[in-house]
Amino acid sequence: MPQRLSSASDDFEPRFRDLLAGKREASLDVEDAVRAILADVRRRGDAALIELTARYDALELTPETMRVPADEIEAAYRATAPETLQALELAHERITRHHERQRPQDDRYTDAIGAELGSRWTAVESVGLYVPGGAASYPSSVLMNAVPAKVAGVERIAMVVPAMRGALNPLVLAAARIAGVGEIYRIGGAQAVAALAFGTQTIAPVAKIVGPGNAYVASAKRQVFGTVGIDMIAGPSEVLVIADGANDPDWIAADLLAQAEHDRAAQSILLTDDAGFADAVERAVERQLARLSRQETARASWEAFGAVIVVGDLLAEAPALADRIAAEHLEIATDDPEALFALIRNAGAAFLGRHTPEVIGDYVGGSNHVLPTARSARFSSGLSVLDFVKRTSILKLTTEALRALGPAAIELARVEGLDAHGRSVSVRLNLAGDAG
Amino acid sequence: MPQRLSSASDDFEPRFRDLLAGKREASLDVEDAVRAILADVRRRGDAALIELTARYDALELTPETMRVPADEIEAAYRATAPETLQALELAHERITRHHERQRPQDDRYTDAIGAELGSRWTAVESVGLYVPGGAASYPSSVLMNAVPAKVAGVERIAMVVPAMRGALNPLVLAAARIAGVGEIYRIGGAQAVAALAFGTQTIAPVAKIVGPGNAYVASAKRQVFGTVGIDMIAGPSEVLVIADGANDPDWIAADLLAQAEHDRAAQSILLTDDAGFADAVERAVERQLARLSRQETARASWEAFGAVIVVGDLLAEAPALADRIAAEHLEIATDDPEALFALIRNAGAAFLGRHTPEVIGDYVGGSNHVLPTARSARFSSGLSVLDFVKRTSILKLTTEALRALGPAAIELARVEGLDAHGRSVSVRLNLAGDAG
C-alpha cells in the first residue's frame, strides 16, 4: 500500500517533509570506474572503445563496423509495421510543430546614447545523442531528443546506442530515420560518452551530449561537462495527480500506474480532497495491477514510493504542496484546472483537465517528454530548442557613445583596482578622433 | 613574449591545436575536502558554519551576527563616493534595461485538432548569490548576477560573501543595496554553498546558486548541483581581438592587457592580418606593462598564455579560427566588423568596431559580463534572465482531441511494452462520454 497523508493530521508536516526528502535511487559509486574509462578512450581512441564494447556489450566491433550503415537504418524503417510508422510520424510532426515555436528571436537595438546592443542566437554545431539499449531503448525518446536539435539548426547529430551482443531495437533506427539522424554508432556506456566528448579516430567529437542513460552514463556526462555541454541528469519518472472526487477512479489509477510501470524507483502521488475517492483509486490500482505485464515493477514503485495526500480544500492547499513537490509531470483533473494551475509555479509539464492523460505528452502531444525530475522543476525546464542554441551578446559603440559611457567605466575600473581596464577606455577617449 | 603563430607556416595546425588544448588552470584536488564540508554543514547547520568560518576566514560569528544588518549596508552605501555611486547606478540602470528585453514570452495556442498547447515561464523562487572576498570582491559582479534575477522576478536573493577577519568590501554592500539585495551573510567557501543549498537554522535554503568563486566554491557548486540549480563554472577570463593594421597599436595593447591583468591564467589572443602591426602591438604591450599596478599578474598571463596569430586574410581565415577558439570575449576592430561577425558563431560576447573596448561590457554597456569561458561558448551562453526562470509545458485536450491522438499514443505504448501507458489512454477513449 502507498502511504496516506492527511493535511488535517498533526504529523502531516514532518511526514510530507520525509516524502520530499526520500531518496528513490541508490547512488551507485561508479565515479572511479567511469573516470578510468574516460581516460582510456581519451588516450587510445578507437582501440579502447572496441575493447570496452567487447567487455561490456559482448560485441566485437572494428572501426568499420562501429557505425550503423545507411542500408541497415533503411531496412529497419521498411520493416516497421505501417501503424507504428504512422504513429511515429504523427509524433514527429507534432513535436516538430510545437518546438518550432520555441526558436528564440535575435534582438538588436540602439539606445538613447547611440550605443548598439543585441543578442544573437546560433545553433550548437554538433550534438551527441545517447540512446539507452535494452528494455529502455525507446523510439519516442529518439524523437524527443533529436527534434529540438534539428529545429534549432544543429548541423550534425551523432547518435550512440549500445547493442548488447549486436542487437539493436529496429524501432530506434526507424525513429532516427524519421528524425533525420543518419550518423549512428553501436556503442554505449561511459565509453560512448567519452568518444562523443573527446573524439576518436572514427568518431568526431561533439559540442554537447544529451539523452538519458544508466548510472555509468550519468556519471560520464557529469565528468565530461565543461569539455562539452550536457543536458540535465534525468532521475526516475514521477507524476503528481491533483484530482477531485468527480473523476472516474479507474482513469486516475491508470495514470498513476503509467508512471509506476517505468521504474521501481518511479513515484506516483495522488492529491485529492476526497478520502473516499482516494480509497476507490487505491482499489482500482490493485485491480489494474493484476493485468499489467510490468506488474512487478509497477507494484514495487507504488508500494515503496506511491503516496496519497488528502487535503481539506484543493484550491487552498494543493498549490503550496505541489510547489514543494515540484513534480516532473503534473496532472490536474478538476472542473477548473486553470484556476489551480495559475497558483502553481513548479512543474516540468502540466496536463490540464480530465481528458488529458500525461501519456499523451509522452508520445504525441507535441511537447517534450524530457523533463526535470527529483524536484529540479524548482530551477530547471524540460528539453527544448533553447538547449541546442547559444546566445552571443553584442555591443557596438560610436565615439559619442564611448564618450558617454567611458568615464563611469573608468571610475569602476579604478575602484576595482584594474588599471589596464581603465586604460583600455581612456586611451580611446583621448585619441578618439585620431584613428579608426 | 607571447607565442606567435602564422597561418602560412607548415606547423600552424598542430601549434593552433596545442593553443586550444592548453590547460591554463591547475585543477586543485579539493573534492574530498569539499565533500566533508558539505556533509558537515548539512548535518550540523549553523554550528558547522560558525566553526568553519572561524577556521577559514578567521572570523567568529554567531547566528545573530551572520547576517549583515541593514544599517551596515546603508552605511556602506552612504560612505561611497558620489562619482562611484553614480557609476554604479548608471551600470545598474543600463544592465536592468538590457536584461528587461530578455524576459521570455509565454505561449498558448490551440492546434488544428483542438489540442491546446503552451509554455509558461515562472521565476525561480529563491536564488543564492556567491560573491568572492578579498581582491576579487567586485561590485560590478554583484550587479551582473543580481540584476537578471531581479528582472526575472526572483522573490528572494540571498547573498553570501566571505569576510576574512571580518572585512567586507563596502562597495559590494553598496552595489547590493543598489540592486535591491538586502539578505547578506558574511560567510564564504564551500560552507556558504552548503548553507545555501541545504539551509541551516538561520539561513533558508535556495533553489539555485550563482556567482563566481575559487576552486572550493566551484567544487561545492558541482557537488550540490541537483539539490539546487547552479550557473556555469567560470574559468579564467579570455579575449580574442581580431584587428587589422589600421588600428592604433596602443588601443589594442590596452585591450589585451585588460584581460591579462585579471588573473595569471587569463588569456589574450590577437588575431591580425598584419605582421608589422602585431610587432607594434607587442611593443605597446611592453610599454604599458611597465605602468600597471598589476604588472606582475598581467605579464605572467601574457607571457604564458598570450598569443599572436597572423593570417593572410581576415575574412577568409579568421572566422574558422575564432569558432575553434570560442572566446569568452570577441573584439572585432576592423572597418566592417559586422561582415566578420556574421561568419563567426562561437563567442560569449562580441564587441564590434574600433571604439568598443571589451571593458565597457564589463561595467556599463548593459549586457552581462558573466560569460562562458574555456571554449564553452560552443555550447553555452552568458548569464541572462533565462537563468532565473523555468518553463512549464502545458497540454489540455478536449475529448475530440484525445480521440484524434489516442490511437497513436496507444500504438507507441504497445511497441514500447508499456501497458499502463496504453491503458491510461484507452480507458478514457472507451468511456469518454461517461465522466468528467
Side-chain angles (χ1 to χ4, degrees), chain B residues 256-382:
Chain B
L256 296 168
L257 286 171
Q259 292 305 312
E261 74 173 342
H262 267 299
D263 191 332
R264 299 173 66 95
Q267 183 165 51
S268 304
I269 302 177
L270 169 65
L271 199 167
T272 182
D273 56 356
D274 185 330
F277 174 73
D279 295 339
V281 171
E282 287 197 43
R283 287 190 301 268
V285 165
E286 286 304 319
R287 280 195 307 273
Q288 293 183 26
L289 266 173
R291 280 177 282 165
L292 289 184
S293 62
R294 295 170 72 110
Q295 176 183 167
E296 194 267 332
T297 300
R299 185 181 294 281
S301 156
W302 178 240
E303 293 188 350
F305 304 113
V308 174
I309 303 173
V310 180
V311 297
D313 183 274
L314 283 181
L315 213 55
E317 297 178 62
L321 298 176
D323 275 344
R324 291 172 69 189
I325 293 170
E328 180 190 16
H329 304 106
L330 168 68
E331 248 184 60
I332 307 182
T334 62
D335 279 335
D336 186 2
E338 302 277 2
L340 258 172
F341 181 55
L343 301 172
I344 297 173
R345 66 198 289 173
N346 297 338
F351 303 87
L352 304 183
R354 308 191 197 280
H355 297 94
T356 315
E358 180 277 323
V359 166
I360 296 293
D362 285 343
Y363 293 122
V364 291
S367 51
N368 209 291
H369 80 196
V370 182
L371 294 164
T373 58
R375 306 186 65 222
S376 61
R378 290 172 299 133
F379 53 79
S380 64
S381 311

Side-chain angles (χ1 to χ4, degrees), chain A residues 31 83-84 87-88 90 94 98 101-102 107-109 111 113 115 117 120-125 138-140 155 171 207 222 225-229 248 251 254-255 257-258 261-262 288 291-294 331 338 341 344-352 354-357 359-360 362-365 377-384 386 390-397 399 402 405 408-409 411-413 415-421 423-425 427-428 431-432 436, chain B residues 31 83-84 87-88 90 94 98 101-102 107-109 111 113 115 117 120-125 138-140 155 171 207 222 225-229 248 251 254-255 257-258 261-262 288 291-294 331 338 341 344-352 354-357 359-360 362-365 367 377-384 386 390-397 399 402 405 408-409 411-413 415-421 423-425 427-428 431-432 436:
Chain A
E31 221 172 283
E83 62 274 23
T84 310
L88 285 172
L90 175 68
R94 291 187 59 85
H98 180 68
R101 302 175 70 101
Q102 295 175 343
D107 186 25
R108 193 87 184 246
Y109 63 99
D111 70 13
I113 62 160
L117 290 96
R120 191 194 62 176
W121 294 90
T122 48
V124 174
E125 287 160 324
Y138 294 135
S140 59
E155 283 152 20
L171 293 179
R222 270 184 194 271
F225 174 54
T227 301
V228 296
D248 185 325
W251 297 16
D255 299 348
L257 287 172
E261 74 174 340
H262 267 298
Q288 293 183 26
R291 280 177 283 166
L292 289 185
S293 62
R294 296 170 70 110
E331 248 183 61
E338 302 277 2
F341 180 56
I344 297 172
R345 65 197 289 171
N346 298 336
F351 303 87
L352 305 183
R354 307 190 198 280
H355 297 93
T356 313
V359 165
I360 295 293
D362 286 341
Y363 293 121
V364 291
R378 290 173 299 130
F379 53 80
S380 64
S381 311
L383 198 71
S384 79
L386 288 175
K390 66 269 182 335
R391 188 176 40 80
T392 300
S393 68
I394 302 165
L395 191 64
K396 187 178 182 183
L397 301 183
T399 52
L402 182 62
L405 295 177
E411 169 64 10
L412 292 175
V415 298
E416 292 190 350
L418 297 170
D419 297 6
H421 279 60
R423 189 170 163 75
S424 160
V425 178
V427 70
R428 285 176 168 86
L431 301 166
Chain B
E31 220 172 284
E83 62 273 24
T84 311
L88 285 172
L90 176 67
R94 292 188 57 86
H98 180 67
R101 302 176 71 101
Q102 295 175 341
D107 185 27
R108 193 88 184 246
Y109 63 99
D111 71 12
I113 62 163
L117 289 95
R120 191 194 62 175
W121 294 91
T122 48
V124 174
E125 287 160 324
Y138 294 134
S140 59
E155 284 153 20
L171 293 179
R222 270 184 194 272
F225 175 54
T227 301
V228 296
D248 185 325
W251 296 17
D255 299 350
L257 286 171
E261 74 173 342
H262 267 299
Q288 293 183 26
R291 280 177 282 165
L292 289 184
S293 62
R294 295 170 72 110
E331 248 184 60
E338 302 277 2
F341 181 55
I344 297 173
R345 66 198 289 173
N346 297 338
F351 303 87
L352 304 183
R354 308 191 197 280
H355 297 94
T356 315
V359 166
I360 296 293
D362 285 343
Y363 293 122
V364 291
S367 51
R378 290 172 299 133
F379 53 79
S380 64
S381 311
L383 198 70
S384 78
L386 288 174
K390 66 266 182 334
R391 187 176 41 81
T392 300
S393 68
I394 302 165
L395 191 64
K396 188 178 182 183
L397 301 183
T399 53
L402 181 62
L405 295 177
E411 169 63 11
L412 292 175
V415 299
E416 292 190 351
L418 296 170
D419 296 8
H421 278 62
R423 191 171 160 76
S424 160
V425 177
V427 69
R428 285 176 167 88
L431 301 165

Side-chain angles (χ1 to χ4, degrees), chain B residues 180-191:
Chain B
V181 176
E183 184 182 345
I184 306 175
Y185 301 95
R186 39 184 130 239
I187 54 173
Q191 59 273 22

Side-chain angles (χ1 to χ4, degrees), chain A residues 333-344:
Chain A
T334 62
D335 279 335
D336 185 1
E338 302 277 2
L340 258 173
F341 180 56
L343 300 173
I344 297 172

Side-chain angles (χ1 to χ4, degrees), chain A residues 19-42:
Chain A
L19 180 70
L20 294 184
K23 276 264 177 238
R24 309 209 306 278
E25 279 185 305
S27 57
L28 288 174
D29 193 8
V30 300
E31 221 172 283
D32 292 340
V34 166
R35 185 170 296 116
I37 291 171
L38 297 179
D40 194 22
V41 174
R42 185 173 202 171

